């Protein structure tokens, strides 16, 4: 029987404040249960925290489950958008993914990254959505006037999700080995050329290139990847 | 509006939450299935009086047996890996090299014996026994695999069913070579080829359908 979600989250995050940025987390508006009151003020941006919440949910902790599902919504939206789902369809994908999480709850292994597990499900649901909407579109009649009069979809959540994405990327970069982190900082964030990077770091251009390549591969598997 | 809908959905899902037993790692689940294969193979070996010592004396039978066994092991690992959402699609490729070797060695064994009496076929009784061993091992092993895979409610059910079919067919081939170690005749190859195709096909159609259904309904 896993310990209650609040102790797991506090324990695993160790009071981390990454991603708090003064913004009240989405689910803070709907605290429910004793556990949720305690964990509601603990930002759960770190993947380990989400994995711990999922472990608690597997043990039947409803408050932890509610919280991890709420925290998953921005990640699912991001994955759906990356797969090319239009803003009007993103929430349909979110709904499908939440149901899929519920069905496949037993398959999550808390020793592995939660985000990789979630984004694999989200990616497939997004592709399913695009396939089915493609089939629907092929059966629908083109109506230019209605199209012109239809208001554009405004994606209000995109800014917040970009911010979260940047935080996740920053966290992932911080966990890279030193050489790889240096390559990302100099060549990626710093937008330096290989020559400039080599001069700044004292490493050869080849070493920088290899480090950057390895860093990108590591980041890809850390953020959305699979093995 | 959309947020309210999602809030309601989350509340509903949380309200229906019951503790779940976490699935064991895919590798361990594959080992359980392989334990089933070992038990079945032992039963056939003892029941039908197999003579594995003959394996080394017949052309290409031992390499074909080892390749079939390796295919069964690797395909089982691939099937359980693919049943979990966050594992790569490339697991599907894992059993292909050994499957190619299995087919190649079976074919070579048949070619090596061309011209020898009995190459083109064997007695009806012997053929019936071969079929009994193949189907008698492929069917229970397929059922066991599908039952074990259902717990994961796999999303990639078509691909999972295909690899599960390869695992069961290869396992059945290995059991046959263990119990009845003879060089493949032309008729053998044809019948085995048909059986393997049938086992894989049935797994894809029925196994895929059974596994696909787990995606449509919510957990009990």
């Amino acid at each position: 029987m896993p310990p209650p979600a609040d102790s797991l989250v506090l324990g695993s995050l160790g009071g981390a404040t990454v991603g708090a940025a003064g913004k009240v987390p989405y689910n803070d508006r709907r605290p429910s249960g004793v556990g949720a009151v305690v964990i509601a003020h603990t930002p759960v941006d770190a993947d380990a925290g989400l994995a711990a919440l999922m472990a608690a949910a597997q043990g039947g902790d409803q408050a932890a489950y509610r919280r991890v599902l709420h925290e998953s919504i921005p990640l699912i939206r991001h994955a759906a958008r990356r797969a090319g789902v239009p803003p009007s369809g993103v929430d349909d994908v979110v709904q499908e993914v939440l149901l899929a999480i519920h069905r496949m709850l037993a398959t999550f292994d808390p020793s592995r990254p939660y985000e990789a597990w979630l984004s694999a499900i989200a990616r497939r649901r997004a592709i399913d959505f695009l396939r089915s909407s493609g089939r629907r579109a092929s059966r629908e009649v083109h109506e230019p006037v209605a199209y012109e009069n239809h208001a554009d979809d405004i994606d209000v959540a995109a800014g917040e999700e970009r911010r979260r994405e940047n935080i996740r990327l920053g966290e992932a970069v911080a966990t890279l080995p030193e050489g790889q982190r240096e390559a990302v900082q100099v060549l990626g964030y710093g937008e330096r050329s290989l020559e400039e990077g080599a001069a700044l770091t004292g490493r050869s251009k080849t070493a920088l290139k290899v480090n950057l390549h390895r860093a990108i591969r590591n980041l890809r598997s850390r953020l959305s990847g699979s093995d | 509006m959309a947020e309210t809908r999602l809030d309601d959905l989350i509340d509903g899902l949380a309200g229906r939450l019951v503790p779940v037993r976490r699935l064991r790692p895919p590798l361990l689940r594959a080992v359980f299935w392989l334990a089933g294969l070992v038990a079945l193979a032992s039963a056939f070996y003892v029941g039908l009086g197999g003579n594995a010592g003959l394996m080394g004396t017949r052309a290409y039978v031992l390499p074909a047996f080892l390749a079939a066994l390796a295919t069964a092991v690797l395909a089982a690992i691939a099937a359980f890996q693919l049943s979990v959402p966050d594992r790569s699609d490339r697991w599907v490729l894992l059993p292909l090299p050994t499957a190619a070797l299995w087919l190649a060695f079976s074919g070579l064994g048949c070619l090596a014996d061309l011209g020898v009496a009995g190459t083109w076929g064997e007695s009806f009784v012997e053929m019936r026994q071969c079929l009994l061993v193949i189907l008698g091992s492929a069917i229970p092993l397929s059922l066991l695999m599908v039952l074990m895979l259902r717990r994961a409610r796999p999303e990639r059910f078509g691909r999972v069913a295909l690899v599960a079919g390869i695992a069961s067919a290869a396992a059945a081939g290995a059991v046959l070579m263990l119990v009845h170690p003879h060089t493949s005749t032309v008729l053998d190859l044809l019948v085995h080829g048909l059986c393997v195709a049938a086992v894989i096909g049935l797994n894809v159609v029925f196994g895929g359908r059974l596994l696909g259904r787990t995606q449509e309904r919510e957990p009990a």
Side-chain angles (χ1 to χ4, degrees):
Chain A
M1 191 72 180
D6 48 359
S7 63
L8 277 167
V9 173
L10 290 167
S12 61
L13 290 177
T17 54
V18 185
K23 179 160 171 34
V24 177
Y26 174 72
N27 57 316
D28 281 4
R29 288 176 275 135
R30 303 171 58 85
S32 57
V34 177
V37 172
V38 179
I39 62 175
H41 299 290
T42 309
V44 190
D45 281 313
D47 192 82
L50 290 170
L53 285 171
M54 274 297 275
Q58 286 175 326
D61 185 333
Q62 293 191 359
Y65 191 42
R66 201 172 268 123
R67 181 156 167 80
V68 79
L69 291 181
H70 277 301
E71 293 287 343
S72 300
I73 292 175
L75 303 174
I76 303 167
R77 284 192 173 133
H78 175 75
R81 208 170 280 118
R82 260 181 74 168
V85 174
S88 58
V90 167
D91 276 340
D92 287 340
V93 174
V94 172
Q95 199 169 338
E96 284 297 317
V97 175
L98 293 177
L99 288 166
I101 293 174
H102 193 67
R103 273 194 299 270
M104 290 183 272
L105 193 57
T107 66
F108 177 67
D109 176 356
S111 66
R112 296 173 65 88
Y114 174 70
E115 285 185 27
W117 183 81
L118 178 68
S119 60
I121 298 174
R123 217 171 28 238
R124 285 191 203 107
R125 294 288 142 173
I127 291 167
D128 284 350
F129 174 87
L130 289 172
R131 280 195 190 128
S132 65
S133 60
R135 279 198 295 271
R136 259 201 316 276
S138 68
R139 289 196 298 267
E140 281 170 3
V141 179
H142 180 51
E143 179 47 274
V145 177
Y147 179 80
E148 291 301 330
N149 290 338
H150 187 270
D152 286 342
D153 288 314
I154 299 170
D155 196 1
V156 287
E160 168 60 12
E161 279 162 37
R162 257 195 302 279
R163 188 186 70 81
R164 279 172 176 270
E165 176 63 13
N166 285 338
I167 290 166
R168 293 204 340 266
L169 182 62
E171 284 173 352
V173 168
T175 62
L176 291 173
E178 195 193 336
Q180 294 178 22
R181 196 170 59 239
E182 193 178 54
V184 171
Q185 279 162 348
V186 173
L187 302 177
Y189 289 151
E191 295 183 354
R192 304 274 186 177
S193 67
L194 275 173
E195 285 82 3
E196 289 171 327
L200 272 172
T201 59
R203 292 182 195 267
S204 70
K205 284 197 289 184
T206 314
L208 268 180
K209 223 178 340 186
V210 169
N211 275 337
L212 182 66
H213 178 71
R214 287 183 180 154
I216 289 170
R217 201 176 50 199
N218 279 340
L219 290 173
R220 191 173 288 143
S221 80
R222 169 72 183 78
L223 291 172
S224 64
S226 48
D227 58 350
Chain B
M1 188 68 181
E3 297 297 342
T4 315
R5 199 180 59 166
L6 293 177
D7 286 343
D8 290 345
L9 176 64
I10 289 175
D11 283 342
L13 293 176
R16 288 202 294 279
L17 179 71
V18 287
V20 292
R21 197 157 59 86
R22 198 175 296 145
L23 282 184
R24 292 194 169 84
L27 212 56
L28 192 61
R29 295 166 66 217
V31 169
F32 288 152
W33 182 81
L34 290 167
L37 164 61
V38 170
L40 196 83
S42 310
F44 271 115
Y45 193 79
V46 173
L48 296 176
N51 184 1
L54 284 176
M55 221 181 251
T57 63
R58 307 285 159 89
Y60 297 105
V61 173
L62 186 60
F65 166 75
L66 292 175
L69 191 62
T71 304
V73 171
L74 296 177
I77 293 172
F80 286 108
Q81 292 282 2
L82 283 167
S83 72
V84 180
D86 58 343
R87 309 302 163 98
S88 168
D89 286 342
R90 279 174 295 190
W91 279 104
V92 79
L93 303 174
L94 187 68
L96 297 188
T98 49
L101 282 177
W102 171 33
L103 291 179
F105 284 128
S106 302
L108 282 172
C110 181
L111 280 177
D113 274 6
L114 269 185
V116 177
T119 298
W120 296 97
E122 51 195 328
S123 73
F124 179 70
V125 177
E126 211 174 352
M127 182 57 75
R128 203 176 57 181
Q129 197 188 36
C130 287
L131 276 175
L132 176 83
V133 174
I134 291 183
L135 297 179
S137 24
I139 292 170
L141 286 171
S142 298
L143 285 174
L144 177 65
M145 177 78 92
V146 170
L147 284 175
M148 288 177 76
L149 289 167
R150 265 169 72 86
R151 278 211 60 221
R153 300 168 178 280
E155 283 190 303
R156 296 169 277 192
F157 48 85
R159 213 168 298 195
V160 169
L162 171 70
V163 185
I166 294 174
S168 300
V175 172
L176 178 66
M177 282 181 262
L178 190 69
V179 173
H180 186 46
H182 61 287
T183 309
S184 298
T185 61
V186 174
L187 189 60
D188 264 347
L189 269 190
L190 282 175
V191 173
H192 293 184
L194 279 176
C195 281
V196 166
V199 169
I200 295 175
L202 288 173
N203 266 278
V204 169
V205 174
F206 293 108
R209 200 170 289 176
L210 273 170
L211 294 173
R213 245 179 245 159
T214 64
Q215 274 294 306
E216 288 157 18
R217 62 184 171 86
E218 284 196 16

